[in-house]
Amino acid sequence: MAATSNPPGDEMGYFIKRGKPIDSSRLKKDLNKQGSIAAARAFSEQIEKGALLEKCPACGSSAHHKLLTVYGFDYNECEGCGSAFVCNPPADEALSAAYRSDYYTEAQKVLYANDSIIDYRVAQVFTPKVEFAIEHSRATKKTWLDIGCGVGETLSVAKGHGYTILGLEPNVMQAEYAAKRFGVEVRQDYISKDTVSKYRGQYGVISMFSVLEHVPDPNQILADVSAIQGEGDTLVIEVPHFPSISTMSQMTFPNHVNRMMHPPLHLFLFSLRALEGMLKRHGYKINAAWLFGQDFYEMISTLGLLAPALNQSKLLSALSPMMSDLQAVIDNHDMSDEVLLVAERV
């Protein structure tokens, strides 16, 4: 089933695309889901939980209610902006230690810094995203800064489209993999009020793929990025989307989580309403959004753990060729687990 879109000027006020074919089984071919869930649980349970937050960090609302507990962390849903957030996040040092842990580094090696799937990820995952961003960007400078660049897929594609590129990545393993695999410049640095002056005015496009959900204060990093960019520059962000079929699956089976609602790595899952408000607050307007995900894979693979007979069944054999089509139905109902936004500094 082809991706669908609605025209500019619809009720959202910006272009929306829905659906992106993807072979989740190929992306996850080296992942043992049962083992991954056990490791995720052990990792999360040993991290000390923090005090309960009074307000939603995305919008500041005091009106929120508990959704569920995953591995000792409470996810609440904000009644103001509709996002989900970890209400008892760990202290900053504990969170920083989590990203330096062997668990995190090894998980990144299996899913991302993996030579057996990296070319597929570049061609089928990141090339469409970067081209979507370019299509809806009005930036005049052909310079691209990728914050939290991971293993460098975005930088590789942007470089191939003629951009002068730079990546920022604090994780040593990922930064080294990106530089070695793609020959791109990566600094082990991050954006903060102390580093804004180094990057101000230089980048027509700044991207943050899978970054905002990891930081305790997403508004602060948006404020810092806004201070770097000028009128007409482009900001590209991708974050987990809420609500989604993936999160509903995880709310149904909270002891079988290794992505999306995985605390404290994912402190947030954002609604479109929340993203609109945050971006407007920091001087951006949305030009385009793209909703897509791996919800059907998430649901069916979890059911396979709970009912192992499914894994070798005729039912799964019949459904497998339809996975992209079934995911497209989810996408067309705006229940995808990911959203990509292209915004413009005003």
Side-chain angles (χ1 to χ4, degrees), residues 145 166-168 187 189-191 195-203 206 228-229:
L145 177 68
L166 174 66
L168 305 183
R187 297 178 187 170
D189 198 3
Y190 202 62
I191 293 296
T195 62
V196 161
S197 60
K198 291 195 293 185
Y199 302 104
R200 182 178 284 120
Q202 299 179 50
Y203 295 95
I206 293 180
I228 292 172
Q229 294 198 292

Side-chain angles (χ1 to χ4, degrees), residues 9 23 31 34 59 125-126 163 177 192 236 250 289 308 321:
D23 185 347
L31 179 71
Q34 189 162 18
C59 74
V125 178
F126 279 87
Y163 284 80
Y177 185 94
S192 70
V236 184
Q250 293 176 349

Side-chain angles (χ1 to χ4, degrees), residues 3-37:
T4 63
S5 61
N6 58 352
D10 75 337
E11 69 278 4
M12 302 296 285
Y14 48 84
F15 180 90
I16 300 180
K17 181 177 180 178
R18 296 176 173 90
K20 180 167 73 67
I22 190 168
D23 185 347
S24 297
S25 297
R26 181 169 179 178
L27 284 175
K28 313 282 187 182
K29 71 183 187 66
D30 293 327
L31 179 71
N32 176 329
K33 182 158 183 170
Q34 189 162 18
S36 175
I37 288 170

Side-chain angles (χ1 to χ4, degrees), residues 326-343:
L326 293 166
Q327 179 63 45
V329 174
I330 295 170
D331 299 334
N332 288 334
H333 284 270
D334 293 349
M335 294 297 289
S336 318
D337 62 26
E338 290 284 333
V339 60
L340 171 63
L341 297 177
V342 183

Side-chain angles (χ1 to χ4, degrees), residues 5-164:
S5 61
N6 58 352
D10 75 337
E11 69 278 4
M12 302 296 285
Y14 48 84
F15 180 90
I16 300 180
K17 181 177 180 178
R18 296 176 173 90
K20 180 167 73 67
I22 190 168
D23 185 347
S24 297
S25 297
R26 181 169 179 178
L27 284 175
K28 313 282 187 182
K29 71 183 187 66
D30 293 327
L31 179 71
N32 176 329
K33 182 158 183 170
Q34 189 162 18
S36 175
I37 288 170
R41 180 186 299 111
F43 166 76
S44 296
E45 287 180 345
Q46 55 86 31
I47 297 173
E48 184 174 354
K49 284 64 182 173
L52 292 175
L53 299 177
E54 294 184 2
K55 296 182 179 181
C56 168
C59 74
S61 174
S62 299
H64 49 86
H65 59 272
K66 183 176 175 180
L67 282 173
L68 76 162
T69 299
V70 180
Y71 309 148
F73 287 96
D74 296 335
Y75 277 99
N76 280 26
E77 180 176 6
C78 177
E79 296 168 23
C81 69
S83 292
F85 64 94
V86 173
C87 196
N88 56 340
D92 289 347
E93 178 50 40
L95 189 62
S96 178
Y99 286 102
R100 298 192 302 268
S101 66
D102 290 342
Y103 165 82
Y104 182 77
T105 297
E106 290 306 311
Q108 300 308 296
K109 287 180 180 178
V110 171
L111 291 172
Y112 307 118
N114 184 335
D115 287 344
S116 72
I117 60 171
I118 191 68
D119 290 338
Y120 180 82
R121 285 180 54 79
V122 169
Q124 300 299 322
V125 178
F126 279 87
T127 295
K129 293 177 183 179
V130 170
E131 291 178 346
F132 180 80
I134 293 171
E135 178 185 357
H136 295 283
S137 169
R138 298 189 182 95
T140 56
K141 298 189 289 286
K142 289 210 70 172
T143 47
W144 192 305
L145 177 68
D146 190 26
I147 299 171
C149 70
V151 298
E153 303 104 322
T154 298
L155 296 173
S156 173
V157 179
K159 181 180 179 181
H161 281 77
Y163 284 80
T164 301

